[in-house]
Structure formats: structure tokens, C-alpha cells
Amino acid sequence: MNRLFTNPILPGSYADPSICRVGKDFYLVTSSFEYYPGIPVFHSRDLVHWRQIGHVLDRPSQLNLDGTPCSKGIYAPTIRYHDGLFYVSSTFVESATGARRNFYVTATSAFGPWSDPIWLPEAPGIDSSLFFDDDGKCYILANRKPPSGQLYPKHMEIWMQELDVNQGRLLGPKYSLWEGAQKWIHAQEAPHLYKLNGYYYLFIAEGGTGFTHSVTVARSQSITGPYEGCKSNPILTHCHLGRSHPITNIGHADIIQTEDGEWWMVCLGSRPYGGFSNLGRETFLVPFIWEEDWPVVNPGIGKVELKLPCPSLSIHPWPTERACDHFDTDTLAYYWNYLRTPRQSFLSLTDRPGFLRLKLKPDKITEVSNPSFIGRRQQHKDFAVRTVMEFTPNNEYEKAGLVLFQNHDFQYRVEYSLKHMNKLVTVIARIDGVEQVLAEHILPDSKTNDRLFIKVEASGQQYSFYFASKAEQWIPLYEKADGTILSMEKVKGFSGAYIGLFTSSNGKQSDNYADFDYFEYLP
């Protein structure tokens, strides 16, 4: 019996996957939106086990996220390898109505370092990708409004133009390639072009990134078209399975062939629970074959499953990631992110070895700014998080604690602060920008209480909060809080929930800080 693997291969908010192969090695990138560093990079030898090896955009000179709203920022990167170089193209979405700026970066190794972005101001649309033809020419593809005008809301087309990757400039005319397979459905985007058996194959996403998301394909014997759609389009979608299906929102695919000749597809999808998607859009893997020169996804089944037979590749697991980060290294683990580009040093792992020190900044976790915050993705429906911090607030403005973050207007915070000179631990729900204190507990005025243990346990859509002054002597703060406020559906955003540590002096200057001894995340 074939070994089985479990989908998603990247759980949590890892959307818009793109993949390439170099020899026996596979590399994968995903969207990063308003989080910094940008564009996580993963490495695998068997398509099932992945380890993060860095980020593409890890220097402020590469990525200016100042003022970038939640669910904007870096969209849908594509990774390709050609003639000894890795290329990643992507789109920087500045705001809801601002510019969409396409760019690409290069590196001799997927581990980096990556170049500063090469911006392409004459390349409209989103989800740019690169294609290298057999003659060495490179082309860029993205979407745009049809030159003849839109026939319905979000009606888009896929365009293509030659790109001089050495000079960083577009050449020749723009070609209109395809307006998608499903007339009157919207948001034709995420083009990926491949050449196989005398055909150019154009894979795109249609239907938006929610419930009606889908993968469609067209082909042509000429790179500029005309492209004919596959008669069995969409070749992959889950919208016909209903909203209660365990996997929804399937779409935005990229394909790869193994050395053994197998074909596999990575795509995004969501695993809603209780009708809501707190985990965001995740990365899934599904096999496909070619029949009469058209792709057939997961033949005989036609959908992405939670359990599937492994690729024929030799199994290659990586060392298991530690469940508890003791902050005992000089750099943060790759799974940690900031909100937007850090413009000043507010974090130290060396000021007090074995602790994460977060300095207080005036910025608030409720603002579109760069607060003193680090966070990691929620990756499981049921989980437990524990941390302990040492913090002595000097006034009522100074706060530190743990945050469950969907965006600046939807979050839960466990805060340690002062109120009327009393030390206080508080649970705050922020829903659509309105804050409500769910629970507060006055701590005895003792030096020992400057060390505060915090725990959050999630059971589906019920989140419970606990604290302790001594290890493992947990006291309930608030139990069974409504977790749906952390879902994409409630905020109409693109990212899943994050769990993080934060400090703030709430608009005031402060030299204070909080020290965190560890952060444990257990599914």
C-alpha cells in the first residue's frame, strides 16, 4: 500500500504557492501581504516535507511596507529557475485603491541573498509571473482590464510581453492572451505559462480567491495565441462541493514534474471550521496526469483530498521544528514575522541572552503601523500557546502581552498593565475597531508578579485565556471566547490569524521593555 501524506503541505496562512525544481530539489514561495520579511522560501526533496530556508525580501531596501493596510502588500509570487539564476516575480499592492507595482528579483541560490527589486512600471495588473522560452527569450504575464473594456465587474484578461531580464525593461507589444474559460465569472488572474509537447499551456485562476475559486487552462501552438480553453474547464474547483466541505476556496495553481516523470500541482485552499477560516488560505498538493494533451487532476476523484498517496520520490523528512522557542539564538526563527517594515530596532535577543526583549514603542497594535510585535501563523484548529514575560509597567500607558491578530481592527489581546496603580491582567476583544474588556484580574502588589505566565487554548472556534504568577498554576481569565472574529470571512481579508507577542507605550515615549523567556506553540 502506498504511503499517504497529509494536506495541506503548508498549514496556516501560506497562500498563492509557486514551485520550481532544480535537479532533486524543489523550491516553493507564497504570498506575505503586510508581513515582514516578505515572501517565505521553502525547500523539499519529496514534495511532502518542507523546511523554510529564508525569505526573498528580508532587507528594508527591498521592501517598504510603511502604511500598507492589512491584506495588501506582497501578492502571489512566482519562482522560476533559468540558466543558473533563480527568479521571483511578484506584485506589491500598495492599498485598496493605490498602485499595483510588479517587480522581480534574482539570486544564484534559493537560500539567498536576493537582489533588490527590479520594478516594471509599464507592467499593469497583479500576480505577475515569468516564462522562459526555448529560444532564451523571457516573457512576463499578469492580468489587466481588457483594452476593449470590462463587460462585467472584475472582468479581466491575461496579457503577456517580452522582458529583457538583464536590462529590466519590457520589449515590443503587449499581447492579449485569454479572458478565461468561464464567461461572467470574475477575477481572471494568477497566470502561469509552460511549454510541453508542442503546446504552450496557460494555467490561470478564476472566480476570485473565495468559495468560487477555480483553476482553468488553455493552450496554443503559438506563444501569442490564439489560446483554446480546455472543454473540461474548470480542471479543478471545490465550489460544487458545498461550503461545508472540509476543503474550500481551491485555486491558484502551479505545476511541476518530478525526475520520475510524475506531475504534481500546488494550489491554495482553506479548511473552514464552524463555517469560518481562521487558518487563512493554505498550500495543498495534488497529482495530475495528461490525457489527450490536457491535464486531469487527481484522476477518478477530481478534487483535493486531506490524505493522498505520496509521490514516488524517496521520503526526505527534515528535523522536527521545536515546539518551544527559548529565544536562545542570535536571530529569530524564520516563522516569526513583523507587521510591516521595521524602521527602528525594538527587538533584541542578546541584551539578555535566553530572552526576547521587546522595547516599548508609541505605535499601537491597533494601528496601521510598525508596532513592537512579532507573530507566527495559527496553523491548527486546536492549539495551545504558552509564554512567560517579565515586565514592570511604569504608568497606565505601558502595556505588554500576547495578541491573537487577524488585523488591526479584529483581535484578542491579553495585556499586562497598570490601572489606578494596580497591576492588572486583562483580556480585550477588538471587533470591527470597537474594544470590549472581557475580563480583568488585579494582581497582588509583589515583585514576583512582574513575572506573568499567559496561556491560550483553542478548541475549534472557542478560545480560552489563562494566566499564572507561578508556573502551571493556571487561573482562568476568560473561556470560550468567539474565535470567528479571527477569520477571513469576518474581516473580508486574505490572511489567516497570527499569534504574537507585543509591547506598546500607546502614543507616548518610553524606555521600558518586556522580556519573554519562551514561546510554546502546540497543536
Side-chain angles (χ1 to χ4, degrees):
M1 182 176 179
N2 288 341
R3 290 180 294 108
L4 300 179
F5 73 89
T6 300
N7 265 318
I9 53 172
L10 291 181
S13 186
Y14 292 106
D16 310 318
S18 175
I19 192 170
C20 74
R21 177 174 68 86
V22 182
K24 297 180 182 295
D25 295 289
F26 300 91
Y27 300 98
L28 187 149
V29 294
T30 70
S31 294
S32 53
F33 303 104
E34 73 271 26
Y35 290 97
Y36 181 98
I39 310 182
V41 187
F42 296 88
H43 174 220
S44 178
R45 291 276 175 82
D46 60 10
L47 289 175
V48 171
H49 300 93
W50 294 87
R51 61 168 178 166
Q52 189 172 352
I53 59 174
H55 292 86
V56 173
L57 307 174
D58 59 4
R59 305 186 301 275
S61 64
Q62 296 172 299
L63 183 58
N64 178 6
L65 291 168
D66 296 352
T68 300
C70 295
S71 288
K72 305 302 176 187
I74 299 299
Y75 277 25
T78 296
I79 186 168
R80 295 292 182 256
Y81 181 79
H82 176 74
D83 198 20
L85 274 181
F86 288 91
Y87 295 80
V88 169
S89 57
S90 187
T91 310
F92 179 38
V93 178
E94 293 186 348
S95 67
T97 57
R100 279 86 172 112
R101 298 194 292 145
N102 286 295
F103 66 92
Y104 66 96
V105 294
T106 63
T108 56
S109 168
F111 290 76
W114 295 80
S115 70
D116 281 350
I118 300 162
W119 297 97
L120 301 170
E122 297 178 351
I126 61 170
D127 299 359
S128 60
S129 68
L130 302 184
F131 169 72
F132 293 89
D133 208 348
D134 296 338
D135 59 6
K137 290 183 177 180
C138 178
Y139 297 87
I140 185 171
L141 299 91
N143 75 347
R144 66 176 178 181
K145 296 178 181 179
S148 57
Q150 290 181 305
L151 299 178
Y152 49 90
K154 298 184 181 180
H155 172 206
M156 308 295 283
E157 72 164 20
I158 305 302
W159 65 271
M160 180 190 73
Q161 190 171 3
E162 187 178 347
L163 171 65
D164 184 333
V165 291
N166 296 317
Q167 299 294 321
R169 60 190 182 96
L170 300 178
L171 305 173
K174 285 182 173 62
Y175 295 95
S176 297
L177 297 189
W178 198 38
E179 294 185 14
Q182 304 171 89
K183 192 174 182 180
W184 310 120
I185 207 161
H186 64 288
Q188 296 83 356
E189 59 193 21
H192 290 137
L193 190 64
Y194 319 88
K195 189 176 185 181
L196 298 162
N197 302 325
Y199 286 106
Y200 294 91
Y201 287 92
L202 178 61
F203 284 67
I204 75 167
E206 298 187 43
T209 196
F211 179 69
T212 55
H213 209 22
S214 58
V215 181
T216 61
V217 64
R219 72 184 184 189
S220 173
Q221 292 182 320
S222 168
I223 191 170
T224 58
Y227 281 81
E228 65 164 321
C230 179
K231 292 182 179 179
S232 37
N233 275 323
I235 59 168
L236 180 63
T237 186
H238 278 201
C239 65
H240 62 295
L241 300 176
R243 296 181 184 274
S244 62
H245 192 72
I247 308 173
T248 62
N249 305 344
I250 286 289
H252 199 114
D254 200 3
I255 64 173
I256 200 70
Q257 186 180 28
T258 69
E259 283 192 314
D260 295 340
E262 290 182 344
W263 284 94
W264 291 84
M265 174 184 291
V266 291
C267 60
L268 71 78
S270 299
R271 291 178 294 159
Y273 53 103
F276 295 88
S277 305
N278 299 39
L279 303 176
R281 298 172 303 151
E282 309 173 282
T283 292
F284 290 77
L285 179 70
V286 64
F288 73 98
I289 63 171
W290 296 93
E291 284 188 353
E292 299 181 355
D293 292 321
W294 289 110
V296 178
V297 180
N298 204 4
I301 297 170
K303 62 182 180 180
V304 181
E305 297 179 294
L306 293 173
K307 295 284 187 180
L308 282 166
C310 288
S312 61
L313 302 165
S314 298
I315 187 170
H316 196 288
W318 304 105
T320 303
E321 201 170 70
R322 293 190 304 179
C324 188
D325 190 338
H326 289 278
F327 302 119
D328 52 4
T329 60
D330 290 342
T331 57
L332 285 174
Y334 287 133
Y335 55 75
W336 290 110
N337 290 131
Y338 305 97
L339 274 167
R340 305 175 189 87
T341 308
R343 294 302 180 188
Q344 64 188 85
S345 176
F346 59 81
L347 175 154
S348 176
L349 292 164
T350 57
D351 286 354
R352 186 182 178 186
F355 287 78
L356 166 73
R357 176 162 292 178
L358 285 181
K359 301 172 184 177
L360 274 64
K361 293 177 61 181
D363 304 75
K364 304 174 185 177
I365 198 78
T366 58
E367 299 173 330
V368 179
S369 64
N370 171 235
S372 182
F373 160 90
I374 64 165
R376 57 157 296 159
R377 293 161 175 85
Q378 179 184 337
Q379 296 182 286
H380 303 84
K381 302 174 185 179
D382 306 318
F383 69 88
V385 161
R386 295 190 301 176
T387 190
V388 59
M389 67 174 176
E390 295 181 10
F391 176 54
T392 304
N394 295 319
N395 53 59
E396 296 189 5
Y397 301 111
E398 296 183 344
K399 303 177 188 294
L402 183 144
V403 59
L404 300 174
F405 185 88
Q406 170 50 242
N407 67 21
H408 60 284
D409 278 337
F410 289 83
Q411 58 191 240
Y412 285 110
R413 302 194 307 277
V414 183
E415 291 186 345
Y416 185 22
S417 62
L418 283 179
K419 183 178 180 181
H420 306 310
M421 301 309 295
N422 292 313
K423 294 176 181 178
L424 201 69
V425 57
T426 309
V427 179
I428 299 169
R430 184 174 175 87
I431 304 173
D432 203 13
V434 178
E435 299 210 340
Q436 176 185 359
V437 175
L438 300 182
E440 61 183 20
H441 189 100
I442 296 176
L443 301 171
D445 188 13
S446 167
K447 284 291 183 183
T448 60
N449 287 308
D450 289 342
R451 186 171 174 87
L452 182 69
F453 296 81
I454 301 172
K455 179 172 69 168
V456 179
E457 293 185 349
S459 177
Q461 292 294 359
Q462 294 182 338
Y463 290 66
S464 297
F465 305 90
Y466 306 87
F467 79 99
S469 297
K470 295 182 180 180
E472 301 305 319
Q473 295 183 14
W474 297 108
I475 299 171
L477 264 171
Y478 192 88
E479 296 182 303
K480 298 182 179 180
D482 176 18
T484 66
I485 72 164
L486 303 174
S487 68
M488 294 190 303
E489 290 83 358
K490 281 290 178 75
V491 306
K492 297 180 172 57
F494 296 143
S495 296
Y498 267 66
I499 309 159
L501 308 172
F502 78 97
T503 64
S504 179
S505 53
N506 289 283
K508 308 292 184 180
Q509 294 298 322
S510 173
D511 295 325
N512 207 352
Y513 56 83
D515 287 341
F516 295 86
D517 194 359
Y518 61 80
F519 181 97
E520 182 183 70
Y521 176 96
L522 290 172

